[in-house]
Amino acid sequence: MSDSSVPATSGPEGLTTADGVPLKQSLNRAVRRSRLKALLLVAPLLIFIGLAFVMPIFDMLSRSVDNPEVSTYLPRTSESLTHWDGEGLPDEAAYAALAQDLEAGLKARNLGRVASRLNYEMSGMRSLFTKSARKAGRMEPPFKEALIKADKDWQDPDIWRLIKRESGLYTASYYLAAIDRQFSPTGEIVEKPEYLQIHVVLFIRTFWMSAVITGLALLLAYPVAWLLATLPAGRGNLLMILVLLPFWTSLLVRTTTWIAILQQQGVLNDMLVGVGLIAEEARIQMIYNKTGTIIAMTHILLPFMILPLYSVMKTIPPSYMHAARSLGAGPVTAFRRVYFPQTLPGIGAGSILVFILSIGYYITPALVGGQSGRFITNFIAYHMQTSLNWGLAAAIGSILLVVVILFYLVYNRLIGVDKVKLG
Amino acid sequence: MAIPSYATRGERIWHWVFCTLCALIFLFLIGPILVIIPLSFNAEPYFTFSDKMLSLDPEGFSLRWYQDFFTSDEWMRAIKNSIIIAVCATVLATVLGTLAALGLSSRFMPFRNTIMAILISPMIVPLIISAAAMFFFFSKLGLTQTYLGVILAHTALGIPFVVITVTATLSGFDHSLTRAAHSLGASPSRTFFRIILPLVTPGVVSGALFAFITSFDEVVVVLFIAGPAQTTIPIKMWSGIREEISPTILAVATLLVLVSIMLLATLEMIRRRNERLRGLTPS
């Protein structure tokens, strides 16, 4: 907030307005009024975005550490475990509390939630809970023996340590799961068994494929942007339509057309078979795999690379290159030493933009990616819709969000968010 | 881009290589969109050109997929939903966004950059995250599976475009015009409607078009927060591509390409009008 734009009152202090108010005071009042007016204009939108967008995002972030299940649905057990030191087995009181909680939970039909919550941490917990709960109503003291008789897993101290650990209101275990780690029974952070390690691979694949897509887009965009920037305005505008039309065309339309072109019975394979380049049986699988994702997404994101490059190249006077050439530089040297360095801001802007957009893409990888071309976003959707592990979905989403925000800050630093050009 | 007369042979060759390269890239950009149009007239239920089509036999072509589309209750409902949702979201986003852009362009605006960053954030945050976040939050408020919920979500997604385009128009705005209006005795509202609005209209209209197409083309958020009653065109296409691939989708896609051509033409008209207003010769 700087007032540098407000002219300083340099005159003598005694100056007043017509109604006798000191000039400085009157000016300050006017500034305050203008500031309030500006804020009032922005306020409705700011409140709207706050309610409809920022709060949901924070709500999601909180879900990634939220852990209400154990303390809510096993209240007595988690209470009595607070005194337990984690050595050996807990005392009879804890077993009694558990038996009560199980019985109450069965009646209230909310045992499933805590059971599936604990099942995320240790498989088999769900069946242990349902099995024991059915018998809990008929149990008699001593509850320790009764529960162990119901299922001998209750004499496993690891299970008790797990319940104690997850009694807290907050947990780090969703984040650990998001990076393929977990708590060991003794509470240390260890890697998950290899066959369960999926998220890190997907994160790496997402970043790697986004980098490839960004690189390809840059490679394809550079010559086209150069052509557009150097052509006379009339023809340049005509060719610009070829860039803007895909930019404005529905994402689903473009993904659909790539399916029509690339699938095994598709246009491209038909053409290759038709001209005899490949045999009828040897049709190439170009979609529902990594190749499909890369081709379709490069196509979809290419305009986002061309437009910033074009707007930078447009500002480079052609006389610089002429000067370099007339001073004796060869075409390659002139390009490398004079033209290329001036396009670096455009390359930076386009690349960061395409990379940010790419790592967050969901629709295209889901439709044409098959197994090998999936992104981490597809796993967020999977945990949201199929496995219903919302905490894990929120944790993966939060990690992705942090990465995007970091790149966005770099972008903002380099280019400025209000300089984003649209069309 | 013309080759100068003194160009060496190597330069001439390079020039033609370069032009071919660019032509191929343009083909890559536009080809897929052009391929889908004839395919949508396929008489056979396939996603590829039949022999009859290639030999230009009229029997190979038919309008059956268009007929399919226009006679299907489900598609018609989807189109109605898409339009209702997009129009409501566009109106909301345009009104709120234009007001905010007016405030943001004031030189007295405090915390300008922070507020701008917050207002732009729906454009930056990956859609899947926005969708998940809105799903959690809206379900607490009972807004999932309602038109209101989808409209509010789409409004949030469309707002950055309105804010960006209108602030861009206002950045070249000459504030002495408003001062002149004031000093000539115009009331603030009169100044707004007679001086400011006509000059920022191009920005407002193109922002509104962006907001409209954002909503009209949006899948991910609808997928999470809409119920069956709010099915939109993109949702129908999404499930169509995933389940039974019917060429009806190609007909829809062709119609959507027409929509984008119309939008592009409208934007171009606005740009030319704007340049004329600023006293430039339209290029």
Side-chain angles (χ1 to χ4, degrees), chain A residues 141-171:
Chain A
F143 287 104
K144 190 165 185 169
E145 265 109 88
L147 271 164
I148 292 172
K149 197 169 151 250
D151 194 314
K152 58 182 184 334
D153 277 353
W154 288 117
Q155 56 183 333
D156 181 358
D158 287 352
I159 285 176
W160 288 98
R161 287 199 202 101
L162 171 66
I163 296 177
K164 182 178 164 73
R165 197 181 70 226
E166 297 304 338
S167 307
L169 280 176
Y170 299 100
T171 179

Side-chain angles (χ1 to χ4, degrees), chain A residues 5 34-35 45 53 55-56 59 63 220 224 230 237 248 250-252 256-257 259 263 265 270 299 325 397, chain B residues 1 11 25 28-29 32 36 47-48 99-100 107-108 122 129 133 136-137 140 159 217 234 241 260 267 283:
Chain A
S5 49
S34 310
R35 197 175 281 166
L45 183 57
F53 192 78
M55 264 170 70
D59 185 49
R63 235 167 233 275
L220 296 179
V224 168
T230 48
N237 273 356
W248 278 96
S250 157
L251 172 68
L252 279 168
T256 315
T257 85
I259 295 176
Q263 66 175 343
Q265 302 301 321
D270 277 1
H299 178 250
R325 292 302 301 278
Chain B
M1 263 327 279
E11 280 174 336
I25 300 170
F28 173 70
L29 268 170
I36 206 154
F47 261 42
T48 186
L99 285 181
R107 61 195 178 109
F108 298 107
I129 296 176
F136 290 139
F137 195 74
K140 278 190 203 164
I159 273 166
D217 193 28
I241 299 170
S260 46
L267 272 181
S283 49

Side-chain angles (χ1 to χ4, degrees), chain A residues 2 12 38 72 89 129 139 196 241 277 341 356 358 419 422:
Chain A
S2 88
T72 313
L89 284 175
F129 264 74
M139 279 177 193
L196 288 177
I241 293 176
L277 264 177
I356 294 182
S358 172
K419 303 256 167 24
L422 301 166

Side-chain angles (χ1 to χ4, degrees), chain B residues 197-215:
Chain B
L197 201 58
L199 283 168
V200 298
T201 301
V204 175
V205 174
S206 54
L209 285 179
F210 267 107
F212 183 84
I213 200 78
T214 306
S215 166

